[in-house]
Amino acid sequence: MPVNYYNSTQVYPEWSELSHYGINHLKVGDIVKLHYHDANEYWIIISGSGTCTTEGDTYEIGPGDMVLTKRGDEHSLVVTEEMVAVYIYGIMPEGGRVGYLFKGVDDVK
């Protein structure tokens, strides 16, 4: 079953292990602030490079790298070379939210 990111009605089959994905085009100097998600997130770097922080560790990333971040773990990115990256969300728990969530602001109590 093909799923098209540019179609606003992404529908995944019940057996799918992912719940959302997208393509980011980032410029040199772009900063993705420290945030978390309600699902596991995976980045696949297609081109460019940057410095990412996830689970408290910092890594230099570039083409062919995959960054895996567990649900609820904070992560960030500083782009050092124009970047294209695909991001994928794993299974979203019931009531889970798509998008950047910030500790102290979006925490569910």
XYZ file of all heavy atoms in Angstrom:
863
model
N 0.852 -1.182 0.000
C 0.000 0.000 0.000
C 0.896 1.243 0.000
O 1.582 1.499 0.978
C -0.891 -0.019 1.238
C -1.625 1.255 1.463
S -2.599 1.156 2.980
C -3.671 2.512 2.672
N 0.916 2.019 -1.057
C 1.712 3.249 -1.077
C 1.096 4.311 -0.167
O -0.117 4.423 -0.060
C 1.648 3.706 -2.534
C 0.994 2.628 -3.292
C 0.313 1.724 -2.326
N 1.948 5.064 0.505
C 1.523 6.193 1.321
C 2.291 7.398 0.808
O 3.502 7.351 0.660
C 1.833 5.951 2.814
C 1.412 7.160 3.640
C 1.149 4.699 3.319
N 1.596 8.495 0.504
C 2.228 9.669 -0.075
C 2.270 10.789 0.956
O 1.240 11.255 1.428
C 1.456 10.125 -1.316
C 2.127 11.262 -2.039
O 2.701 12.151 -1.437
N 2.044 11.229 -3.349
N 3.489 11.257 1.290
C 3.661 12.308 2.281
C 2.932 13.582 1.873
O 2.436 14.314 2.719
C 5.147 12.605 2.493
C 5.367 13.764 3.422
C 5.119 13.631 4.789
C 5.776 15.001 2.950
C 5.296 14.691 5.653
C 5.951 16.068 3.809
C 5.710 15.909 5.155
O 5.879 16.961 6.001
N 2.842 13.871 0.592
C 2.245 15.116 0.119
C 0.722 15.060 0.090
O 0.073 16.041 -0.175
C 2.814 15.476 -1.251
C 4.308 15.685 -1.163
C 5.186 14.736 -1.640
C 4.831 16.815 -0.540
C 6.556 14.912 -1.527
C 6.192 17.001 -0.418
C 7.054 16.050 -0.913
O 8.399 16.225 -0.785
N 0.159 13.898 0.393
C -1.281 13.754 0.521
C -1.602 13.930 2.002
O -1.128 13.181 2.843
C -1.698 12.354 0.035
C -3.170 12.088 0.211
O -3.861 12.784 0.940
N -3.641 11.050 -0.429
N -2.387 14.924 2.346
C -2.622 15.255 3.753
C -3.376 14.175 4.518
O -3.489 14.256 5.726
C -3.386 16.571 3.851
O -4.647 16.444 3.233
N -3.878 13.176 3.836
C -4.608 12.109 4.518
C -3.787 10.827 4.498
O -4.109 9.878 3.796
C -5.979 11.872 3.867
O -5.781 11.572 2.478
C -6.871 13.083 4.001
N -2.701 10.829 5.253
C -1.874 9.627 5.346
C -2.672 8.542 6.060
O -3.143 8.742 7.170
C -0.596 9.908 6.128
C 0.351 10.844 5.452
C 1.597 11.074 6.298
O 1.835 10.405 7.273
N 2.389 12.033 5.898
N -2.842 7.411 5.405
C -3.547 6.287 6.004
C -2.614 5.091 5.958
O -2.092 4.732 4.902
C -4.852 5.975 5.229
C -5.535 4.757 5.830
C -5.772 7.181 5.229
N -2.391 4.483 7.119
C -1.500 3.333 7.216
C -2.327 2.095 7.499
O -3.304 2.148 8.250
C -0.490 3.539 8.350
C 0.426 4.713 8.101
C 0.080 5.987 8.533
C 1.611 4.555 7.418
C 0.912 7.068 8.289
C 2.453 5.632 7.175
C 2.092 6.884 7.609
O 2.909 7.949 7.362
N -1.936 0.949 6.940
C -2.671 -0.273 7.254
C -2.501 -0.628 8.733
O -1.523 -0.229 9.376
C -2.016 -1.322 6.349
C -0.723 -0.744 5.906
C -0.820 0.731 6.023
N -3.454 -1.352 9.263
C -3.451 -1.713 10.675
C -2.161 -2.411 11.110
O -1.699 -2.247 12.225
C -4.658 -2.612 10.967
C -4.879 -2.875 12.422
C -6.158 -3.649 12.654
O -7.225 -3.162 12.243
O -6.071 -4.731 13.241
N -1.530 -3.163 10.216
C -0.323 -3.930 10.559
C 0.946 -3.077 10.518
O 2.011 -3.520 10.915
C -0.157 -5.117 9.615
C -0.230 -4.752 8.161
C -1.326 -4.878 7.351
C 0.798 -4.182 7.349
N -1.047 -4.412 6.091
C 0.264 -3.985 6.059
C 2.119 -3.816 7.570
C 0.997 -3.441 5.005
C 2.854 -3.272 6.525
C 2.287 -3.099 5.261
N 0.857 -1.821 10.084
C 2.037 -0.967 9.922
C 2.726 -0.694 11.256
O 2.079 -0.500 12.280
C 1.645 0.361 9.281
O 2.780 1.197 9.175
N 4.046 -0.667 11.240
C 4.840 -0.346 12.421
C 5.253 1.120 12.446
O 6.095 1.514 13.248
C 6.068 -1.254 12.483
C 5.669 -2.706 12.664
C 6.840 -3.656 12.633
O 7.981 -3.218 12.359
O 6.618 -4.845 12.872
N 4.684 1.927 11.543
C 4.944 3.357 11.591
C 3.632 4.110 11.502
O 2.623 3.596 11.057
C 5.916 3.802 10.497
C 5.595 3.495 9.048
C 5.153 4.760 8.352
C 6.846 2.967 8.399
N 3.681 5.346 12.016
C 2.440 6.111 12.121
C 2.510 7.482 11.452
O 1.494 8.148 11.332
C 2.068 6.296 13.589
O 3.076 7.019 14.275
N 3.707 7.897 11.037
C 3.860 9.221 10.424
C 5.262 9.306 9.859
O 6.177 8.658 10.374
C 3.653 10.312 11.480
C 3.724 11.704 10.952
N 2.735 12.273 10.193
C 4.689 12.645 11.060
C 3.074 13.504 9.872
N 4.271 13.756 10.386
N 5.453 10.085 8.810
C 6.799 10.330 8.298
C 6.805 11.641 7.541
O 5.766 12.216 7.255
C 7.291 9.190 7.401
C 6.703 9.209 6.006
C 7.429 9.741 4.945
C 5.426 8.732 5.752
C 6.881 9.775 3.661
C 4.889 8.765 4.488
C 5.618 9.285 3.440
O 5.080 9.334 2.189
N 7.994 12.120 7.242
C 8.108 13.347 6.489
C 9.523 13.524 5.968
O 10.415 12.728 6.251
N 9.706 14.582 5.197
C 11.005 14.908 4.612
C 11.348 16.326 5.052
O 10.562 17.247 4.844
C 10.955 14.819 3.074
C 10.502 13.430 2.643
C 12.318 15.185 2.486
C 10.114 13.336 1.183
N 12.504 16.486 5.674
C 12.965 17.815 6.089
C 14.062 18.297 5.157
O 14.986 17.548 4.851
C 13.526 17.776 7.519
C 12.437 17.790 8.561
O 11.339 18.258 8.314
N 12.745 17.277 9.726
N 13.957 19.536 4.719
C 14.995 20.229 3.949
C 15.497 21.344 4.862
O 14.759 22.302 5.126
C 14.427 20.791 2.645
C 13.881 19.746 1.740
N 14.629 19.168 0.747
C 12.663 19.156 1.688
C 13.903 18.272 0.116
N 12.698 18.246 0.675
N 16.732 21.207 5.342
C 17.266 22.125 6.348
C 18.465 22.884 5.812
O 19.295 22.328 5.092
C 17.655 21.335 7.596
C 16.496 20.522 8.208
C 17.018 19.404 9.060
C 15.603 21.440 9.003
N 18.579 24.145 6.179
C 19.678 25.002 5.716
C 20.775 25.085 6.777
O 20.518 24.857 7.961
C 19.146 26.392 5.403
C 18.068 26.377 4.323
C 17.981 27.700 3.617
C 16.953 27.709 2.529
N 17.038 26.685 1.545
N 21.974 25.450 6.333
C 23.097 25.630 7.247
C 22.693 26.618 8.341
O 22.113 27.668 8.053
C 24.348 26.144 6.494
C 25.462 26.497 7.474
C 24.824 25.115 5.492
N 22.966 26.252 9.577
C 22.627 27.108 10.708
C 21.261 26.852 11.300
O 20.960 27.357 12.389
N 20.412 26.078 10.605
C 19.110 25.744 11.187
C 19.328 24.977 12.488
O 20.239 24.148 12.597
C 18.271 24.884 10.240
C 17.595 25.685 9.139
O 17.664 26.930 9.166
O 16.999 25.055 8.245
N 18.484 25.266 13.465
C 18.544 24.594 14.754
C 17.173 24.004 15.049
O 16.164 24.710 14.987
C 18.944 25.573 15.869
C 20.357 26.106 15.616
C 18.831 24.916 17.238
C 20.782 27.202 16.570
N 17.155 22.721 15.352
C 15.943 22.063 15.830
C 16.117 21.964 17.338
O 16.995 21.251 17.831
C 15.771 20.671 15.185
C 14.541 19.979 15.749
C 15.689 20.786 13.665
N 15.329 22.733 18.079
C 15.469 22.812 19.531
C 15.206 21.460 20.193
O 14.500 20.611 19.649
C 14.504 23.848 20.095
C 14.818 25.261 19.689
C 13.831 26.234 20.301
C 14.124 27.645 19.862
N 13.159 28.587 20.440
N 15.751 21.308 21.398
C 15.574 20.101 22.187
C 14.084 19.837 22.383
O 13.348 20.713 22.868
C 16.281 20.286 23.541
C 16.528 19.043 24.364
C 17.485 18.088 23.636
C 17.108 19.426 25.722
N 13.639 18.657 21.985
C 12.224 18.294 22.050
C 12.108 16.777 22.155
O 13.098 16.062 22.090
C 11.486 18.801 20.801
C 11.927 18.123 19.541
N 13.095 18.460 18.886
C 11.368 17.107 18.831
C 13.228 17.677 17.815
N 12.202 16.852 17.770
N 10.882 16.297 22.258
C 10.624 14.854 22.286
C 9.349 14.562 21.510
O 8.666 15.475 21.038
C 10.538 14.336 23.730
C 9.309 14.791 24.494
C 8.182 13.985 24.583
C 9.271 16.024 25.132
C 7.054 14.388 25.288
C 8.160 16.440 25.836
C 7.050 15.616 25.911
O 5.939 16.023 26.601
N 9.033 13.258 21.376
C 7.821 12.829 20.671
C 7.107 11.761 21.491
O 7.702 11.124 22.351
C 8.165 12.248 19.288
C 8.862 13.224 18.408
N 8.210 14.247 17.757
C 10.163 13.352 18.076
C 9.087 14.955 17.057
N 10.286 14.432 17.248
N 5.850 11.554 21.161
C 5.055 10.517 21.814
C 5.255 9.139 21.180
O 4.621 8.173 21.611
C 3.563 10.871 21.764
C 3.170 11.925 22.799
O 3.950 12.167 23.745
O 2.067 12.493 22.664
N 6.095 9.050 20.163
C 6.420 7.767 19.516
C 7.933 7.708 19.320
O 8.608 8.742 19.355
C 5.721 7.664 18.158
N 8.472 6.519 19.121
C 9.877 6.406 18.724
C 10.041 7.156 17.409
O 9.129 7.188 16.582
C 10.275 4.946 18.514
C 10.167 4.120 19.779
O 10.252 4.642 20.884
N 9.972 2.836 19.622
N 11.220 7.774 17.206
C 11.463 8.495 15.956
C 12.782 8.037 15.351
O 13.746 7.777 16.069
C 11.514 10.005 16.189
C 11.644 10.764 14.875
C 11.761 12.267 15.050
O 12.397 12.719 16.020
O 11.228 12.984 14.202
N 12.793 7.949 14.026
C 13.973 7.524 13.277
C 14.259 8.574 12.213
O 13.352 8.966 11.491
C 13.711 6.171 12.594
C 13.155 5.143 13.541
C 11.779 5.025 13.744
C 13.992 4.313 14.265
C 11.254 4.098 14.633
C 13.487 3.377 15.145
C 12.117 3.276 15.329
O 11.613 2.355 16.217
N 15.501 9.041 12.130
C 15.917 9.960 11.060
C 16.838 9.196 10.142
O 17.747 8.500 10.594
C 16.728 11.128 11.575
C 16.163 11.997 12.635
C 14.881 12.071 13.090
C 16.917 12.947 13.390
N 14.790 13.011 14.070
C 16.030 13.570 14.280
C 18.242 13.347 13.396
C 16.426 14.561 15.166
C 18.640 14.334 14.277
C 17.737 14.926 15.143
N 16.679 9.374 8.855
C 17.618 8.854 7.859
C 18.163 10.072 7.121
O 17.409 10.830 6.514
C 16.937 7.890 6.877
C 16.338 6.705 7.645
C 17.938 7.414 5.818
C 15.426 5.825 6.821
N 19.486 10.267 7.210
C 20.120 11.426 6.598
C 20.439 11.085 5.145
O 21.209 10.168 4.870
C 21.404 11.836 7.355
C 21.125 11.971 8.860
C 21.973 13.119 6.765
C 19.973 12.868 9.247
N 19.844 11.821 4.225
C 20.033 11.595 2.793
C 21.244 12.383 2.300
O 22.094 11.863 1.572
C 18.775 12.018 1.999
C 17.524 11.306 2.531
C 18.971 11.774 0.505
C 17.571 9.793 2.522
N 21.334 13.650 2.699
C 22.470 14.492 2.297
C 22.694 15.544 3.375
O 21.819 15.823 4.188
C 22.201 15.162 0.948
O 21.079 16.028 1.033
N 23.905 16.120 3.366
C 24.239 17.158 4.319
C 24.802 16.581 5.610
O 25.072 15.386 5.721
N 24.993 17.472 6.593
C 25.551 17.020 7.864
C 25.094 17.941 8.989
O 24.577 19.033 8.758
C 27.081 16.986 7.796
O 27.590 18.266 7.527
N 25.313 17.457 10.199
C 24.950 18.239 11.360
C 25.415 17.572 12.627
O 26.063 16.519 12.608
N 25.073 18.214 13.728
C 25.386 17.699 15.053
C 24.067 17.453 15.757
O 23.261 18.382 15.903
C 26.221 18.726 15.849
O 27.401 19.036 15.096
C 26.609 18.173 17.201
N 23.843 16.214 16.160
C 22.592 15.911 16.858
C 22.908 15.480 18.284
O 23.982 14.950 18.574
C 21.777 14.856 16.133
S 22.317 13.166 16.374
N 21.954 15.748 19.151
C 22.015 15.277 20.524
C 20.790 14.416 20.739
O 19.680 14.801 20.357
C 22.017 16.466 21.506
O 23.155 17.267 21.235
C 22.045 15.993 22.941
N 20.987 13.238 21.294
C 19.880 12.357 21.631
C 20.281 11.528 22.839
O 21.435 11.099 22.934
C 19.446 11.479 20.437
O 18.306 10.708 20.824
C 20.532 10.568 19.936
N 19.348 11.386 23.752
C 19.586 10.631 24.983
C 20.820 11.135 25.729
O 21.552 10.375 26.348
C 19.699 9.146 24.676
C 18.439 8.598 24.007
C 18.569 7.151 23.580
O 19.057 6.345 24.376
O 18.183 6.852 22.446
N 21.090 12.450 25.611
C 22.189 13.061 26.336
C 23.551 12.952 25.680
O 24.526 13.493 26.188
N 23.653 12.262 24.549
C 24.920 12.126 23.828
C 24.872 12.949 22.551
O 23.809 13.143 21.963
C 25.204 10.658 23.483
C 25.449 9.812 24.726
O 26.136 10.287 25.648
O 24.939 8.673 24.775
N 26.047 13.407 22.087
C 26.142 14.228 20.889
C 26.891 13.470 19.803
O 27.886 12.798 20.085
C 26.870 15.552 21.209
O 26.108 16.232 22.224
C 26.981 16.447 19.991
N 26.388 13.569 18.569
C 26.939 12.841 17.425
C 27.040 13.756 16.212
O 26.176 14.604 16.005
C 26.021 11.675 17.033
C 25.717 10.712 18.144
C 24.592 10.893 18.951
C 26.538 9.624 18.387
C 24.296 10.002 19.974
C 26.251 8.729 19.414
C 25.128 8.925 20.194
O 24.850 8.048 21.212
N 28.061 13.542 15.408
C 28.148 14.149 14.088
C 27.445 13.187 13.135
O 27.749 11.990 13.132
C 29.603 14.354 13.665
C 30.367 15.320 14.549
C 29.777 16.716 14.578
O 29.359 17.222 13.517
O 29.713 17.307 15.681
N 26.511 13.698 12.337
C 25.754 12.829 11.434
C 25.861 13.333 10.002
O 26.070 14.522 9.767
C 24.273 12.719 11.857
C 23.610 14.100 11.930
C 24.158 11.991 13.196
C 22.115 14.056 12.174
N 25.722 12.395 9.050
C 25.805 12.730 7.640
C 25.119 11.675 6.791
O 24.435 10.786 7.317
N 25.295 11.747 5.474
C 24.601 10.851 4.554
C 24.770 9.379 4.933
O 25.874 8.920 5.238
C 25.269 11.138 3.209
C 25.794 12.528 3.340
C 26.208 12.661 4.781
N 23.647 8.683 4.938
C 23.646 7.259 5.250
C 23.461 6.954 6.720
O 23.205 5.807 7.089
N 23.580 7.962 7.578
C 23.380 7.727 9.008
C 21.897 7.646 9.329
O 21.057 8.278 8.675
C 23.994 8.851 9.848
C 25.508 8.799 9.883
O 26.071 7.703 9.653
O 26.127 9.839 10.149
N 21.598 6.876 10.368
C 20.242 6.785 10.896
C 20.317 7.086 12.387
O 21.161 6.525 13.089
C 19.656 5.397 10.663
C 18.232 5.246 11.125
S 17.623 3.598 10.694
C 15.879 3.882 10.785
N 19.468 7.991 12.844
C 19.406 8.345 14.255
C 18.117 7.748 14.805
O 17.046 7.956 14.245
C 19.414 9.878 14.446
C 19.298 10.239 15.915
C 20.664 10.498 13.827
N 18.229 6.997 15.898
C 17.076 6.366 16.531
C 16.874 6.997 17.899
O 17.808 7.049 18.698
C 17.320 4.868 16.709
C 17.451 4.053 15.423
C 18.837 4.173 14.846
C 17.106 2.620 15.685
N 15.676 7.495 18.147
C 15.372 8.131 19.423
C 14.110 7.521 20.007
O 13.071 7.479 19.353
C 15.188 9.656 19.251
O 16.369 10.192 18.661
C 14.944 10.326 20.575
N 14.231 7.045 21.244
C 13.125 6.388 21.932
C 12.058 7.403 22.339
O 12.368 8.551 22.683
C 13.685 5.672 23.161
C 12.699 4.823 23.898
C 13.376 4.002 24.990
C 14.008 4.932 25.989
N 14.561 4.287 27.153
N 10.821 6.974 22.308
C 9.682 7.798 22.714
C 9.978 8.469 24.045
O 10.416 7.839 25.000
C 8.436 6.927 22.838
C 7.217 7.668 23.349
C 6.009 6.783 23.330
N 6.102 5.723 24.305
C 5.252 5.550 25.304
N 4.231 6.360 25.460
N 5.406 4.556 26.140
N 9.777 9.800 24.092
C 9.962 10.559 25.316
C 11.373 11.067 25.545
O 11.580 11.920 26.400
N 12.373 10.552 24.804
C 13.747 11.034 24.963
C 13.937 12.327 24.180
O 13.528 12.428 23.018
C 14.759 9.993 24.484
C 14.987 8.890 25.491
O 14.523 9.018 26.645
O 15.636 7.888 25.140
N 14.570 13.291 24.789
C 14.794 14.574 24.133
C 15.935 14.471 23.123
O 16.894 13.734 23.330
C 15.132 15.642 25.165
C 13.949 15.997 26.053
C 14.298 17.082 27.028
O 15.154 16.830 27.907
O 13.731 18.181 26.896
N 15.795 15.232 22.048
C 16.821 15.268 21.007
C 16.773 16.618 20.297
O 15.772 17.325 20.358
C 16.661 14.108 20.019
C 15.288 13.999 19.439
N 14.212 13.513 20.144
C 14.814 14.318 18.218
C 13.134 13.527 19.379
N 13.462 14.031 18.197
N 17.912 16.961 19.638
C 18.013 18.245 18.938
C 18.979 18.095 17.771
O 19.648 17.062 17.634
C 18.499 19.337 19.893
O 19.811 19.041 20.340
N 19.062 19.144 16.949
C 19.918 19.106 15.762
C 20.399 20.509 15.429
O 19.623 21.467 15.491
C 19.125 18.551 14.566
C 19.788 18.593 13.199
C 20.995 17.655 13.147
C 18.789 18.228 12.112
N 21.680 20.611 15.065
C 22.244 21.830 14.492
C 22.783 21.440 13.125
O 23.595 20.511 13.007
C 23.389 22.409 15.366
C 24.025 23.611 14.680
C 22.867 22.772 16.747
N 22.329 22.115 12.076
C 22.704 21.779 10.710
C 23.996 22.512 10.330
O 24.066 23.735 10.431
C 21.570 22.128 9.720
C 21.966 21.805 8.291
C 20.294 21.402 10.114
N 25.014 21.746 9.886
C 26.298 22.347 9.506
C 26.521 22.334 7.996
O 27.396 23.034 7.494
C 27.466 21.612 10.201
O 27.388 20.214 9.896
C 27.399 21.807 11.717
N 25.738 21.537 7.270
C 25.763 21.506 5.799
C 24.334 21.227 5.345
O 23.666 20.343 5.912
C 26.699 20.402 5.301
C 26.780 20.294 3.793
C 27.647 19.116 3.341
O 28.390 18.555 4.159
O 27.543 18.754 2.164
N 23.840 21.991 4.369
C 22.452 21.836 3.917
C 22.056 20.370 3.925
O 22.759 19.529 3.362
C 22.283 22.445 2.530
C 20.838 22.569 2.130
C 20.645 23.451 0.909
O 21.436 24.404 0.719
O 19.705 23.173 0.161
N 20.915 20.067 4.547
C 20.553 18.681 4.833
C 19.174 18.320 4.301
O 18.249 19.130 4.344
C 20.580 18.459 6.355
C 20.237 17.057 6.801
S 20.208 16.889 8.615
C 21.962 16.931 8.984
N 19.068 17.088 3.814
C 17.782 16.464 3.518
C 17.723 15.217 4.394
O 18.651 14.385 4.376
C 17.637 16.087 2.032
C 16.340 15.317 1.798
C 17.698 17.334 1.158
N 16.668 15.113 5.178
C 16.509 13.982 6.081
C 15.063 13.504 6.062
O 14.136 14.313 5.986
C 16.904 14.375 7.496
N 14.897 12.213 6.115
C 13.577 11.599 6.239
C 13.393 11.257 7.715
O 14.307 10.737 8.352
C 13.472 10.326 5.382
C 12.162 9.600 5.631
C 13.639 10.656 3.907
N 12.235 11.600 8.263
C 11.947 11.191 9.637
C 10.728 10.276 9.631
O 9.819 10.407 8.801
C 11.740 12.390 10.563
C 10.529 13.228 10.240
C 9.292 12.940 10.798
C 10.623 14.311 9.369
C 8.176 13.706 10.502
C 9.521 15.086 9.074
C 8.298 14.784 9.642
O 7.199 15.533 9.346
N 10.747 9.326 10.539
C 9.693 8.317 10.623
C 9.302 8.155 12.091
O 10.173 8.042 12.949
C 10.200 6.960 10.075
C 10.663 7.106 8.620
C 9.121 5.885 10.213
C 11.515 5.960 8.130
N 8.012 8.149 12.373
C 7.524 7.855 13.719
C 7.139 6.383 13.771
O 6.480 5.882 12.861
C 6.253 8.635 14.037
C 6.405 10.096 14.357
C 7.560 10.809 14.095
C 5.342 10.776 14.919
C 7.663 12.157 14.392
C 5.430 12.126 15.220
C 6.593 12.811 14.954
O 6.676 14.144 15.250
N 7.491 5.741 14.861
C 7.042 4.374 15.096
C 5.569 4.372 15.480
O 4.854 5.365 15.289
N 5.135 3.283 16.052
C 3.735 3.140 16.451
C 3.391 4.216 17.474
O 4.106 4.421 18.452
C 3.478 1.735 17.031
C 3.730 0.693 15.944
C 2.078 1.627 17.607
C 3.749 -0.727 16.433
N 2.309 4.916 17.222
C 1.857 5.992 18.108
C 0.908 5.394 19.150
O -0.059 4.721 18.783
C 1.121 7.065 17.296
C 0.723 8.279 18.075
S 2.097 9.306 18.643
C 2.700 9.986 17.101
N 1.182 5.626 20.425
C 0.252 5.119 21.438
C -1.090 5.859 21.342
O -1.157 6.968 20.821
C 0.958 5.426 22.762
C 1.876 6.555 22.459
C 2.275 6.396 21.017
N -2.123 5.235 21.864
C -3.439 5.873 21.856
C -3.343 7.235 22.541
O -2.753 7.361 23.612
C -4.467 4.996 22.575
C -5.873 5.524 22.436
C -6.915 4.551 22.943
O -6.667 3.338 22.891
O -7.968 5.036 23.382
N -3.865 8.258 21.899
C -3.808 9.610 22.431
C -2.487 10.319 22.151
O -2.305 11.464 22.563
N -1.560 9.646 21.440
C -0.266 10.242 21.118
C -0.412 11.428 20.175
O -1.376 11.527 19.421
N 0.569 12.326 20.238
C 0.532 13.560 19.451
C 1.676 13.570 18.443
O 2.792 13.182 18.763
C 0.669 14.760 20.386
C -0.443 14.816 21.432
C -0.058 15.643 22.625
N 0.976 14.933 23.392
C 1.593 15.436 24.459
N 1.295 16.641 24.886
N 2.507 14.752 25.102
N 1.399 14.049 17.240
C 2.412 14.223 16.209
C 3.009 15.617 16.378
O 2.291 16.578 16.637
C 1.795 14.072 14.798
C 2.795 14.456 13.720
C 1.299 12.649 14.589
N 4.322 15.719 16.224
C 4.968 17.024 16.278
C 5.956 17.139 17.422
O 6.137 16.216 18.207
N 6.598 18.312 17.491
C 7.584 18.584 18.539
C 6.858 18.818 19.854
O 5.924 19.609 19.927
C 8.392 19.833 18.216
C 9.280 19.763 17.002
C 10.010 20.870 16.617
C 9.404 18.611 16.232
C 10.849 20.843 15.521
C 10.233 18.570 15.130
C 10.949 19.684 14.781
O 11.776 19.658 13.690
N 7.340 18.173 20.908
C 6.818 18.366 22.252
C 7.979 18.807 23.134
O 9.111 18.370 22.941
C 6.199 17.071 22.781
C 5.075 16.493 21.917
C 4.680 15.109 22.403
C 3.878 17.427 21.888
N 7.699 19.671 24.101
C 8.754 20.260 24.924
C 8.515 19.959 26.396
O 7.398 20.151 26.896
C 8.822 21.771 24.672
C 9.135 22.103 23.238
C 8.118 22.359 22.330
C 10.448 22.114 22.789
C 8.399 22.640 21.003
C 10.746 22.386 21.456
C 9.715 22.643 20.564
N 9.577 19.500 27.072
C 9.502 19.209 28.511
C 9.065 20.469 29.250
O 9.499 21.580 28.941
C 10.856 18.736 29.044
C 11.338 17.433 28.445
C 10.659 16.244 29.055
C 11.245 14.967 28.450
N 10.569 13.782 28.861
N 8.194 20.295 30.230
C 7.718 21.414 31.017
C 6.586 22.189 30.377
O 5.955 23.011 31.007
N 6.333 21.923 29.089
C 5.250 22.615 28.371
C 4.184 21.607 27.944
O 3.001 21.810 28.174
C 5.799 23.361 27.125
C 4.659 23.957 26.318
C 6.807 24.416 27.534
N 4.627 20.505 27.309
C 3.700 19.539 26.729
C 3.605 18.243 27.522
O 2.975 17.293 27.065
C 4.148 19.211 25.290
C 4.080 20.434 24.411
O 3.002 21.034 24.305
O 5.120 20.788 23.816
N 4.240 18.187 28.700
C 4.189 16.964 29.498
C 2.747 16.645 29.867
O 1.985 17.519 30.244
C 5.008 17.116 30.782
C 6.483 17.396 30.498
O 6.950 17.060 29.405
O 7.153 17.948 31.388
N 2.401 15.373 29.749
C 1.071 14.915 30.131
C 1.131 14.509 31.589
O 2.023 13.799 32.013
C 0.621 13.709 29.265
C -0.728 13.215 29.720
C 0.602 14.107 27.803
N 0.181 14.972 32.358
C 0.179 14.656 33.796
C -0.953 13.742 34.129
O -1.950 13.687 33.547
C 0.101 15.928 34.602
C 1.291 16.807 34.298
C 1.407 17.919 35.275
C 2.582 18.738 34.800
N 3.434 19.286 35.611
